[in-house]
């Protein structure tokens, strides 16, 4: 009898309450950076029935209309009157300037805080991402697009997915074990129609793309049988509560810091992007089949306190040599990261990352996904 190890990742839609908060936080960040690229932003959002509260520290030379940003984003996500939460909600702004004690360390090029950040890459997909996370995300990307296009008229914005893969004793993916999808819906649609539509029109096209073994797959579509009350009306939303969804679906570790609402001087965000950039180039250079990078920082200090490489036994080059090469090739100071990854140049919208994940995106040209350091790494290791 074959023995399998099971791994699961989940994803949530832009209409999930926590993701609503993430997107509003990053929409405020985008507005600040658009007119003042040097803005310092640490903005968090709480949303519930009929109310959005925006708080945090912002130091910027521009004016931002918080209320307009909140209402526009809620409308873009797809919440309409009658859903218990829509753009005609109350807004409360509790924003003040950044602490001068923090600014003192950042102004000289140091990190905005202490902390540990992780990034990873693995040869499971073309974009070097864990497959379970990619499948979970693609299911919801497809479902959200079909909802917005009116192709699934009964669907509402709050949606979740979860994919479990079975790995054989050699560590390779053997089959898809189960898929969970929960989608908010209107009152009129039957559970049978929801189940049929989600499996046939949403899930199956995604699975077919990857040519996976789905012979004995188990489906759990709206397992409770009803999901009418959803979004911030059904559950409160808060910035930063979906950090595993934002990254690797639990496949690699996470330092604990959230991304959304933080300007690039916060290494919670910028160094996590950089760690992905490093790990992806290491795997693409074929130094290993799987790689996780840990970076650590001290507030006000420019260089990382430590760099750790873990290839989980897949290394084709000694890990110490990989670590030395990384130190030579990558400038991992906060300002070095900001410049290399174009984090203040407005070439992408942070709110778009908050909607469908910050790592492994193929629909947005994010600099931390570029394979532009392979040859330099090889040269540094004398390959």
């Amino acid at each position: 009898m074959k023995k399998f190890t099971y791994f699961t990742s989940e994803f949530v839609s832009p209409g999930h309450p926590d993701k609503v908060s993430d997107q509003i936080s990053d929409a405020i960040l985008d507005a600040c950076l658009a007119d003042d690229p040097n803005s310092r932003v640490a903005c968090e959002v709480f949303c519930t029935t009929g109310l959005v509260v925006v708080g945090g520290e912002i130091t910027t030379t521009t004016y931002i209309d918080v209320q307009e940003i909140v209402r526009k984003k809620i409308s873009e996500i797809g919440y309409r009157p009658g859903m218990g939460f829509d753009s005609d909600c109350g807004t409360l702004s509790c924003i003040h300037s950044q602490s001068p004690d923090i600014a003192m360390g950042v102004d000289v090029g140091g990190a905005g805080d202490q902390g540990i950040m992780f990034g990873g890459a693995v040869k499971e997909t073309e974009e070097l991402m864990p497959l379970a996370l990619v499948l979970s995300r693609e299911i919801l990307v497809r479902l959200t697009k079909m909802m917005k296009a009116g192709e699934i008229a009964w669907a509402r914005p709050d949606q979740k997915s979860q994919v479990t893969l079975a790995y054989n004793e050699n560590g390779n993916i053997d089959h898809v074990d189960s898929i969970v999808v929960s989608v908010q819906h209107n009152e009129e649609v039957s559970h049978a129609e929801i189940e049929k539509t989600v499996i046939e029109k949403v899930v199956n096209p995604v699975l077919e793309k990857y040519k996976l073994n789905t012979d004995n797959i188990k489906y759990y579509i709206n397992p409770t049988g009803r999901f009418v009350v959803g979004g911030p009306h059904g559950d409160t939303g808060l910035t930063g509560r979906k950090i595993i969804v934002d990254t690797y679906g639990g496949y690699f570790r996470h330092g604990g810091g959230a991304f959304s609402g933080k300007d690039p001087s916060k290494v919670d965000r910028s160094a996590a992007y950089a760690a992905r950039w490093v790990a992806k180039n290491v795997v693409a250079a074929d130094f290993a089949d799987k790689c996780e990078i840990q970076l650590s920082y001290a507030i006000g200090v420019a260089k990382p306190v430590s760099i750790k490489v873990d290839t989980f036994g897949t290394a084709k080059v000694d890990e110490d040599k990989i670590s030395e090469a990384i130190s030579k090739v990558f400038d991992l100071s906060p300002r070095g990261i900001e410049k290399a990854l174009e984090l203040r140049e407005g070439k992408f919208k942070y709110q778009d990352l908050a909607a469908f994940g910050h790592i492994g995106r193929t629909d947005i040209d994010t600099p931390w996904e570029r394979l532009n350091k392979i040859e330099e790494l090889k040269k540094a290791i004398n390959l």
Side-chain angles (χ1 to χ4, degrees):
M1 183 177 178
K2 290 184 178 179
K3 292 184 179 179
F4 299 112
T5 300
Y6 298 91
F7 179 78
T8 303
S9 286
E10 72 156 346
F11 211 81
V12 300
S13 71
H16 184 281
D18 295 330
K19 279 285 134 199
V20 172
S21 295
D22 284 344
Q23 289 165 92
I24 293 172
S25 292
D26 274 339
I28 290 170
L29 171 64
D30 285 333
C32 291
L33 294 178
D35 291 333
D36 179 10
N38 294 316
S39 295
R40 301 276 173 78
V41 180
C43 172
E44 298 188 357
V45 171
F46 166 84
C47 58
T48 187
T49 305
L51 178 66
V52 173
V53 179
V54 181
E57 303 81 45
I58 296 179
T59 299
T60 184
T61 60
T62 190
Y63 168 77
I64 55 169
D65 190 332
V66 171
Q67 188 174 96
E68 180 184 6
I69 291 170
V70 168
R71 297 189 191 284
K72 181 180 178 182
K73 180 51 63 177
I74 292 170
S75 181
E76 285 177 359
I77 291 169
Y79 282 106
R80 303 286 180 260
M83 294 183 184
F85 181 81
D86 59 66
S87 60
D88 188 23
C89 63
T91 61
L92 178 62
S93 178
C94 308
I95 294 172
H96 55 87
S97 61
Q98 184 184 58
S99 161
D101 295 341
I102 295 174
M104 183 170 60
V106 177
D107 289 344
V108 296
D113 201 352
Q114 70 175 49
I116 56 173
M117 297 84 209
F118 290 92
V122 60
K123 292 182 179 179
E124 287 192 357
T125 64
E126 288 184 7
E127 60 268 44
L128 303 180
M129 284 288 286
L131 181 60
L133 184 280
V134 170
L135 293 174
S136 299
R137 171 160 54 202
E138 290 197 13
I139 287 169
L140 288 193
V141 168
R142 184 173 177 84
L143 180 54
T144 299
K145 285 181 177 178
M146 294 180 76
M147 178 202 72
K148 288 191 172 184
E151 296 176 54
I152 304 180
W154 49 259
R156 291 180 175 178
D158 193 357
Q159 306 155 8
K160 301 175 78 172
S161 64
Q162 189 169 284
V163 175
T164 300
L165 301 178
Y167 289 74
N168 61 28
E169 292 174 319
N170 295 321
N172 299 316
I173 296 168
D174 185 85
H175 63 275
V176 181
D177 181 74
S178 64
I179 289 184
V180 182
V181 179
S182 294
V183 52
Q184 185 188 10
H185 58 86
N186 64 25
E187 291 269 10
E188 293 76 27
V189 67
S190 68
H191 184 267
E193 182 180 346
I194 293 172
E195 192 170 47
K196 184 175 187 294
T197 301
V198 169
I199 292 173
E200 293 182 0
K201 294 186 177 181
V202 180
V203 176
N204 284 349
V206 172
L207 296 180
E208 288 166 5
K209 174 183 172 183
Y210 289 89
K211 298 178 171 58
L212 298 164
N213 178 359
T214 59
D215 292 344
N216 298 305
I217 191 170
K218 298 182 286 290
Y219 289 103
Y220 303 93
I221 310 300
N222 280 19
T224 67
R226 178 182 169 87
F227 186 12
V228 174
V229 179
H233 179 47
D235 191 9
T236 57
L238 189 65
T239 300
R241 284 202 298 205
K242 285 292 174 282
I243 56 177
I244 301 304
V245 165
D246 282 338
T247 53
Y248 308 95
Y251 192 91
F252 294 112
R253 283 167 278 200
H254 195 292
F259 299 160
S260 291
K262 297 177 181 177
D263 76 83
S265 72
K266 278 73 174 174
V267 282
D268 279 341
R269 170 169 239 154
S270 56
Y273 293 169
R276 163 64 176 174
W277 182 38
V278 173
K280 189 174 184 182
N281 277 269
V282 166
V283 172
D286 203 31
F287 295 168
D289 294 334
K290 179 178 175 181
C291 179
E292 179 186 81
I293 303 294
Q294 184 203 54
L295 303 175
S296 69
Y297 291 84
I299 188 168
V301 179
K303 298 249 182 215
V305 174
S306 67
I307 301 173
K308 180 179 180 294
V309 178
D310 190 346
T311 59
F312 305 94
T314 70
K316 301 166 189 179
V317 176
D318 185 78
E319 287 183 354
D320 289 338
K321 290 185 177 181
I322 296 174
S323 184
E324 289 174 11
I326 290 169
S327 297
K328 291 178 183 177
V329 171
F330 294 91
D331 180 356
L332 295 174
S333 66
R335 286 185 178 173
I337 293 170
E338 284 187 14
K339 182 178 179 181
L341 301 185
E342 304 166 11
L343 298 181
R344 292 187 182 269
E345 296 181 19
K347 294 186 177 180
F348 53 85
K349 296 291 186 183
Y350 286 106
Q351 60 195 289
D352 294 338
L353 301 177
F356 282 115
H358 301 247
I359 305 297
R361 295 287 291 271
T362 58
D363 58 322
I364 300 174
D365 179 20
T366 50
W368 52 94
E369 297 297 327
R370 296 174 188 166
L371 300 176
N372 53 1
K373 294 292 184 179
I374 295 173
E375 295 308 316
E376 288 182 63
L377 283 169
K378 288 181 176 179
K379 184 177 180 181
I381 296 182
N382 297 317
L383 292 180

